[in-house]
């Protein structure tokens, strides 16, 4: 697949948009992906699928800067993460 990264201004926010054409995230997993140690694929281990803390750390860093992070995803179609950081 491919990954694109965009940076733009939306109202009083800088927006970082990361979009891929990968495997996507199932609808049932979306509410949990920012939780510590959560991995959507039960078959993954730390060796093959990470430790499940990356998105938790990303969310904490964004929120520490008074921002927010969102995700839209469809299984087998890809994901789009947006990070909103206030400019003021």
């Amino acid at each position: 697949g491919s990954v694109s990264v965009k940076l733009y201004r939306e109202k009083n926010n800088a927006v970082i948009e990361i979009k891929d054409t990968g495997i996507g995230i199932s609808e049932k997993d979306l509410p949990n992906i920012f939780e510590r140690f959560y991995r959507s694929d039960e078959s993954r281990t730390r060796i093959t699928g990470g430790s499940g803390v990356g998105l938790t750390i990303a969310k904490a860093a964004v929120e520490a800067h008074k921002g927010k992070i969102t995700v839209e995803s469809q299984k087998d179609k890809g994901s789009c993460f947006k990070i909103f950081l206030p400019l003021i």
Side-chain angles (χ1 to χ4, degrees):
S2 63
V3 177
S4 66
V5 179
K6 295 180 182 177
L7 173 64
Y8 55 92
R9 182 182 184 141
E10 186 175 284
K11 297 183 182 179
N12 291 324
N13 292 299
V15 182
I16 304 166
E17 180 180 289
I18 304 101
K19 189 173 188 176
D20 70 38
T21 58
I23 62 170
I25 303 165
S26 71
E27 190 174 326
K28 74 174 184 68
D29 289 321
L30 279 174
N32 304 308
I33 63 169
F34 293 105
E35 292 180 21
R36 190 176 353 175
F37 304 123
Y38 185 80
R39 287 183 286 203
S40 62
D41 185 348
E42 298 291 330
S43 67
R44 289 188 175 193
T45 65
R46 266 183 49 200
I47 296 168
T48 62
S51 60
V53 297
L55 289 174
T56 303
I57 292 169
K59 183 179 179 189
V62 168
E63 289 177 348
H65 290 89
K66 308 288 188 237
K68 73 175 186 173
I69 185 170
T70 64
V71 61
E72 294 177 4
S73 188
Q74 289 184 4
K75 191 76 171 152
D76 299 320
K77 300 226 178 188
S79 302
C80 181
F81 288 85
K82 291 183 182 179
I83 298 168
F84 298 85
L85 297 171
L87 293 170
I88 305 174

